[in-house]
Amino acid sequence: PVPWSAVLTRGAVTTTGRDLYLPPGALTASREYVLQFKADMRSAYGNDRPYFAVNLTVQTLASPLVAVIGGGAVRDVRAGEPYQLDGSGSYDPDVARGGEAAWLWSCE
């Protein structure tokens, strides 16, 4: 597992009440992370027990690839004639747009 502190900086994480928000792309897909949460307990227990900590293991999943074919889903093509498909709008949701990607197309 990768400790979250190796991936995120304090400014990248935001909280609202009891919710924790990680920005998109903060964690890499298909990896396991250990998040450690610490509560400051000094106001309740004094300096005898200043912090309470718990670890949470998180497994990230890869998103499905998005194939976008320019020009619509239905085509009339003459047999034996070459035809070019434009898949430049396709993307991997787990990789920043404009990032490196390689695509392999096949006809079934």
Side-chain angles (χ1 to χ4, degrees):
V2 178
W4 79 277
S5 59
V7 178
L8 301 172
T9 60
R10 186 169 285 210
V13 178
T14 58
T15 59
T16 304
R18 294 187 283 177
D19 297 324
L20 171 73
Y21 296 95
L22 301 176
L27 302 178
T28 302
S30 301
R31 296 203 48 194
E32 186 174 276
Y33 295 87
V34 176
L35 305 179
Q36 183 178 72
F37 299 91
K38 290 183 179 180
D40 185 344
M41 304 299 284
R42 287 178 289 192
S43 63
Y45 298 105
N47 287 329
D48 294 335
R49 187 172 181 192
Y51 297 101
F52 174 77
V54 63
N55 289 342
L56 173 68
T57 301
V58 175
Q59 177 69 42
T60 57
L61 304 175
S63 302
L65 301 175
V66 178
V68 179
I69 307 295
V74 178
R75 306 286 164 65
D76 290 324
V77 180
R78 291 186 177 151
E81 293 290 318
Y83 187 77
Q84 181 174 349
L85 295 175
D86 178 7
S88 62
S90 301
Y91 62 95
D92 180 345
D94 297 327
V95 176
R97 295 284 181 115
E100 291 295 319
W103 301 94
L104 175 63
W105 296 91
S106 63
C107 295
E108 296 181 10

